[in-house]
């Protein structure tokens, strides 16, 4: 199984259009960027996408992905679903899993696209080609519903926080406990405060609380110093970073037995 961070940026991405801060200028100068949020899970030649970022086309082309087997939407924000339209005319009737509320909200934007919405509930695991996938509720005001994702396969556990502030419900934390890999959102370094997101120290605290063995921060804004500097202090993810498990564990991160 491979887990790939297709995009590690926040909603405007980095560099931000029209922004001349140190980080955005560094990104332009040295040719790095943060695409918008999406995580790809590949197992047994099946492709599961967690969210469909507005940068979807470039992300799939970069990874040579020819077919998507299913999508899970975590919540109804533009940076997490808008790229779904990139499947249009390429693949029809893609299966999309989410809670009824998220489907209803995103469905309003997707009226003209054909796909197969499948409603699932938090805390009720479902099988996706041998992987056990569970949605959990997280806290992303003012949205009425937002989800984190827990994926279990062959004794490995991967948890994706989704967009959330630090007030993750206890019931969700119980399901998220002891992951081998925790992909967690952190919009900015410590010192910044947001109503709907975490900063890096809140994210690291949550990682500690659930006993994460490895942590990677994502959904990163230009509030962080340039990547090469900030990565010395925080376990910042980068676009297309890949984590491999089981037999696939021979790429850039090793989780083999
Ligand atoms: Zn900037
Ligand atoms: Zn969001
Ligand atoms: Zn977001």
């Amino acid at each position: 199984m491979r887990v790939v961070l297709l995009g590690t940026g926040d909603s405007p991405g980095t560099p931000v259009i029209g922004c001349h801060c140190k980080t955005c200028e560094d990104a332009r100068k040295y040719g790095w960027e943060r695409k918008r949020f999406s995580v790809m899970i590949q197992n047994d030649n099946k492709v599961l996408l967690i969210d469909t970022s507005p940068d979807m086309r470039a992300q799939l082309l970069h990874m040579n992905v020819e077919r998507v087997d299913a999508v899970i939407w975590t919540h109804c924000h533009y940076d997490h679903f808008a790229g779904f339209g990139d499947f249009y005319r390429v693949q029809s009737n893609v299966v999309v899993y989410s809670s009824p509320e998220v489907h209803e909200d995103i469905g309003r934007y997707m009226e003209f696209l054909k796909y197969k919405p499948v409603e699932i509930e938090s805390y009720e695991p479902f099988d996706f080609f041998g992987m056990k996938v569970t949605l959990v509720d997280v806290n992303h005001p003012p949205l009425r519903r937002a989800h984190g994702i827990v994926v279990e396969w062959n004794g490995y556990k991967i948890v994706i926080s989704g967009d959330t502030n630090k007030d993750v419900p206890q019931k969700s934390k119980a399901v998220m406990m002891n992951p081998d890999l925790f992909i967690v959102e952190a919009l900015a370094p410590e010192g910044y405060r947001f109503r709907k997101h975490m900063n890096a120290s809140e994210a690291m605290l949550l990682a500690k609380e659930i006993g994460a063995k490895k942590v990677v921060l994502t959904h990163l804004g230009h509030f962080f110093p340039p990547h090469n500097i900030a990565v010395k202090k925080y376990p910042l993810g980068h676009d297309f970073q890949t984590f491999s498990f089981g037999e696939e564990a021979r790429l850039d991160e090793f989780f083999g037995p």
Side-chain angles (χ1 to χ4, degrees):
M1 180 171 64
R2 291 167 78 197
V3 178
V4 184
L5 308 180
L6 294 181
T8 55
D10 62 343
S11 56
T14 300
V16 177
I17 295 169
C19 180
H20 298 285
C21 77
K22 233 182 179 167
T23 299
C24 291
E25 289 295 12
D26 187 86
R28 284 188 196 95
K29 188 172 172 192
Y30 296 105
W32 63 275
E33 68 168 329
R34 294 195 189 285
K35 292 182 166 53
R36 270 68 66 82
F37 181 90
S38 193
V39 177
M40 175 170 72
I41 299 180
Q42 281 179 312
N43 194 25
D44 262 358
N45 292 323
K46 299 291 178 190
V47 172
L48 171 64
L49 293 180
I50 314 296
D51 288 334
T52 49
S53 107
D55 298 311
M56 199 84 266
R57 179 176 177 277
Q59 290 164 324
L60 295 183
L61 287 174
H62 181 95
M63 290 304 298
N64 278 323
V65 173
E66 298 188 355
R67 206 195 123 76
V68 173
D69 294 284
V71 169
I72 299 176
W73 281 326
T74 60
H75 67 292
C76 179
H77 273 158
Y78 176 85
D79 55 320
H80 294 258
F81 70 77
F84 188 78
D86 285 0
F87 297 130
Y88 195 56
R89 291 182 193 279
V90 178
Q91 231 184 297
S92 58
N93 290 316
V94 178
V95 180
V96 185
Y97 299 92
S98 199
S99 61
E101 291 87 349
V102 172
H103 268 311
E104 189 184 329
D105 292 347
I106 296 179
R108 275 188 228 117
Y109 297 89
M110 296 290 170
E111 252 181 341
F112 60 99
L113 297 184
K114 285 198 177 74
Y115 61 98
K116 276 191 194 144
V118 178
E119 294 188 351
I120 48 174
E121 255 316 324
S122 286
Y123 316 112
E124 292 174 9
F126 67 100
D127 179 83
F128 178 81
F129 298 107
M131 295 188 281
K132 182 178 155 193
V133 182
T134 313
L135 258 60
V136 296
D137 286 346
V138 291
N139 202 352
H140 194 42
L143 290 186
R144 53 180 177 157
R145 208 86 201 269
H147 304 284
I149 315 275
V150 179
V151 177
E152 288 160 280
W153 173 79
N154 251 4
Y156 297 106
K157 184 169 182 176
I158 293 102
V159 174
I160 301 165
S161 71
D163 280 14
T164 183
N165 65 23
K166 62 182 175 36
D167 300 321
V168 175
Q170 277 306 333
K171 191 179 177 183
S172 299
K173 284 183 193 165
V175 180
M176 294 160 76
M177 282 307 280
N178 300 318
D180 296 283
L181 174 65
F182 186 31
I183 299 169
V184 55
E185 78 122 282
L187 189 62
E190 76 262 18
Y192 286 84
R193 296 224 157 261
F194 306 98
R195 188 169 146 246
K196 53 182 173 179
H197 292 284
M198 288 187 284
N199 63 36
S201 61
E202 290 167 336
M204 293 309 288
L205 211 64
L206 177 61
K208 201 173 167 193
E209 205 185 332
I210 65 167
K213 290 181 197 129
K214 186 174 177 76
V215 186
V216 61
L217 303 182
T218 188
H219 208 281
L220 310 163
H222 62 152
F223 315 101
F224 282 96
H227 183 77
N228 283 344
I229 296 166
V231 78
K232 289 179 187 149
K233 185 164 183 192
Y234 308 103
L236 297 189
H238 58 84
D239 287 11
F240 305 115
Q241 190 170 358
T242 301
F243 303 88
S244 304
F245 301 84
E247 283 170 22
E248 296 272 352
R250 59 191 142 75
L251 299 174
D252 67 3
E253 304 283 342
F254 185 71
F255 282 88

